Amino acid sequence: MSRQITPWSCLKGKDIPATIELDSVIYGYAYPGCRILDIGCGTGKASIPMASHGFSVTGIDINQEALRIASSSSRSSCPASIPLFVHADATSMPFPDGSFDLALMQAFLTTISTREDRATIVKETCRVLKPGGHLYLADFGQTWHSGIYRERYIHDLPVTKEDGSIIAYDPETGEVAYIAHHFTEKELVFLLLENGFEIGFFRNEEFMTRTGNKINGFVLVGVKIGDRT
Amino acid sequence: MSRQITPWSCLKGKDIPATIELDSVIYGYAYPGCRILDIGCGTGKASIPMASHGFSVTGIDINQEALRIASSSSRSSCPASIPLFVHADATSMPFPDGSFDLALMQAFLTTISTREDRATIVKETCRVLKPGGHLYLADFGQTWHSGIYRERYIHDLPVTKEDGSIIAYDPETGEVAYIAHHFTEKELVFLLLENGFEIGFFRNEEFMTRTGNKINGFVLVGVKIGDRT
């Protein structure tokens, strides 16, 4: 990941945003004994409930403080089934090919500020999934009808250099926290299609951001091309 | 309109597609005594129910056969309140400035095959509305997650010359009927903003096409910039 542009590893762990709720559609792709990888797990908002359902969950994140919070929360909330938290970079994961049945990305790709890194991450996710494995992802869509977002897309373009991206500020200090990208349907669909997946499920959504704005979004499931073994 | 590309005036009146149902949101913008213009009214599928609610409705279309069907249907179905049907081209309407309170376009812009004509039509609609008047429109969105549409967008691009456009075929003869454009949110929002409107209402929708496919869509209300008189 481009750490110069997205200093995600330097954000305070408690400030990692996690506003999208896990959509129940994911449970249609999880089955007893399946191995789940939560990519960009942050403080464990998705990993912990998935693990408490009895699934074998591994959460990775580049932010070590968030992982410490995730680890201590999981020990107090679901001692019977604790996710494994791993400090790792999603562009180069420390897992052999075909290690997981299901990967999930909850508003994760939005935080990756270049197309190249997003493609690398989706390809890498494909690699660590078994053939026929699934990638569930929920993320933000470009919301041009909203004056607030429209102005930010246009205003921030000289810095972000990408249509539909905005600068996200620290709500306390007002300083630049990271760049967030909002997707078009076409962009997200081809990001999957060009990196090893078919589209298995797609739904347009309306989400709420951490600052309380309504925003377009997508819930999507990609299927790794190849027969399930 | 580019009649060479879209021979809309030559379609059989009964074949004019009209699959999007009028969204009830329009009734929030219609009030007793208001004058409504239905642009691309076809066989009157929106004009006739609006008129039966007691509103003063004018429907325009470039297809004379569709207007004849509309006219005769309206006489049999709502003799008390009959829309006025006018044979006219939406790029150059035969009405003075500020003639209407509310304009509606029901899957109409999709049938206009160039960006220039769409801009001209929205500007012309703005002209014939009163200041503060409203433009309700419902139209199709680009549906890249659907393999059917994705393949058609790509396959038809050499002919349509525009991303998100497809060739629509006559369901009986299989011949080319017209080119249909599907919009992105950004495109539709700026089409209004750049031609005299602000965005007053916006909702993502899922429509059904005349051939039974699910497709993304939008319901949108533009407000003509300027104080209501």
Side-chain angles (χ1 to χ4, degrees), chain B residues 7-8 69 85 88 92 94 103 117-118 122 146 149 153 166 170 175 187 218 226:
Chain B
W8 201 261
I69 296 171
F85 292 106
S92 170
D117 282 347
R118 284 177 223 130
V122 173
S146 148
Y149 285 113
Y153 298 146
I166 59 172
D170 183 307
E175 285 175 11
E187 186 184 6
F218 309 106

Side-chain angles (χ1 to χ4, degrees), chain A residues 144-145 163 185-186 216, chain B residues 144-145 163 185-186 204 216:
Chain A
W144 291 94
H145 70 271
D163 212 29
E185 175 172 328
K186 181 181 182 182
N216 293 336
Chain B
W144 291 94
H145 69 272
D163 212 27
E185 176 172 327
K186 180 180 183 184
N204 284 297
N216 292 336

Side-chain angles (χ1 to χ4, degrees), chain A residues 118-160:
Chain A
R118 283 177 223 129
T120 302
I121 287 168
V122 174
K123 200 170 292 187
E124 181 68 353
T125 301
C126 189
R127 183 186 68 75
V128 303
L129 280 173
K130 294 180 188 160
H134 294 99
L135 165 59
Y136 158 102
L137 72 86
D139 222 314
F140 300 119
Q142 291 179 21
T143 308
W144 291 94
H145 70 271
S146 149
I148 293 168
Y149 285 114
R150 194 165 61 238
E151 281 164 28
R152 290 178 70 184
Y153 297 145
I154 295 167
H155 178 269
D156 296 351
L157 187 60
V159 174
T160 67

